[in-house]
Amino acid sequence: MTNPSEFAIQRGETFGGRVARLFGQWGVFFRGFVEHPRMVGSIIPSSRFTIEKMLAPVKWDECQLFVEYGPGVGTFCRPVLERLRRDGTLIVIDTNPLYIDYLKKTIPDGRFHAVLGSAADVEEIVRAHGFDHADYVLSGLPFSTLPDGVGPEIAAATHRVLRPGGAFLVYQFSAAARDFMAKHFARIDSGFEALNVLPCRLFWGWKD
């Protein structure tokens, strides 16, 4: 039997854990930005308005594999998992071990897989998880500040890994990503979300 003092400690740990998650998430995100500003692109996670608008075109009942590049501290991960079907899979890819370690510790969902690696290797990563293609790929990577050649490589690999009818979902502060996408995606829908810091451009590239 648990005595009152032990119960109080457990309650204290639970409350402390919640507080740590609340402030820890921002701390981890900020640290990642400070250490790798060219790869993160923003000092603040995306707003709920950006998340809702970005994910709105997704046909969740048809989505078996959803991939995200640059998940950070999971701003999109949890909303995606809330919408994803029970037999679906979410693979997130990031080059920052700080973010990957944080996500593995804080998202205990069997459908979720956090991979330390490059988005340019998405085809290999998808195959390693038993899939031939992805239904949707989401990216918040700052294409305008990526090292030379990386942006085009990611755009090309993403187009190849998507199934016909799938889409590349991109949110950016500039229109640079659209230029990379346009070489591979004939149809690109565009949007804008002002209620974000900073205001955000949205793109959905559809694979024929």
Side-chain angles (χ1 to χ4, degrees):
M1 175 180 287
T2 303
N3 63 45
S5 62
E6 290 174 335
F7 180 68
I9 292 172
Q10 290 174 1
R11 289 187 63 190
E13 288 175 346
T14 301
F15 176 74
R18 291 174 180 173
V19 172
R21 283 195 299 273
L22 178 62
F23 292 99
Q25 183 183 57
W26 285 83
V28 171
F29 190 89
F30 180 75
R31 177 181 166 188
F33 174 81
V34 170
E35 293 179 354
H36 305 283
R38 294 182 63 190
M39 300 301 293
V40 178
S42 174
I43 197 169
I44 298 175
S46 300
S47 72
R48 63 183 177 88
F49 304 101
T50 298
I51 295 170
E52 290 292 333
K53 189 173 290 186
M54 192 79 260
L55 298 180
V58 176
K59 296 181 179 179
W60 295 102
D61 58 332
E62 300 176 4
C63 181
Q64 186 174 3
L65 176 59
F66 194 103
V67 176
E68 181 182 3
Y69 303 152
V73 294
T75 305
F76 272 90
C77 295
R78 293 166 183 82
V80 168
L81 289 169
E82 289 171 0
R83 295 163 171 76
L84 191 65
R85 49 195 248 188
R86 295 180 66 180
D87 63 343
T89 298
L90 169 60
I91 297 174
V92 302
I93 305 169
D94 206 300
T95 58
N96 192 333
L98 175 70
Y99 290 151
I100 294 300
D101 289 345
Y102 178 82
L103 293 172
K104 287 181 176 180
K105 291 176 182 177
T106 57
I107 303 183
D109 190 312
R111 300 170 297 166
F112 179 75
H113 302 274
V115 177
L116 180 64
S118 170
D121 298 323
V122 61
E123 295 167 284
E124 179 182 339
I125 292 169
V126 164
R127 286 194 297 269
H129 285 79
F131 293 91
D132 295 323
H133 60 258
D135 298 290
Y136 297 91
V137 176
L138 170 70
S139 175
L141 296 177
F143 277 81
S144 61
T145 62
L146 292 177
D148 291 343
V150 175
E153 189 176 357
I154 290 174
T158 301
H159 185 267
R160 291 193 299 266
V161 82
L162 282 169
R163 66 166 170 81
F168 188 20
L169 288 59
V170 179
Y171 57 100
Q172 297 276 280
F173 299 137
S174 73
R178 195 185 194 287
D179 297 334
F180 294 116
M181 297 169 68
K183 297 179 181 179
H184 307 281
F185 297 89
R187 173 191 165 192
I188 301 177
D189 298 332
S190 300
F192 183 77
E193 181 51 63
L195 299 177
N196 193 80
V197 181
L198 299 166
C200 196
R201 296 175 180 269
L202 315 177
F203 302 104
W204 299 268
W206 299 89
K207 183 172 180 178
D208 295 332

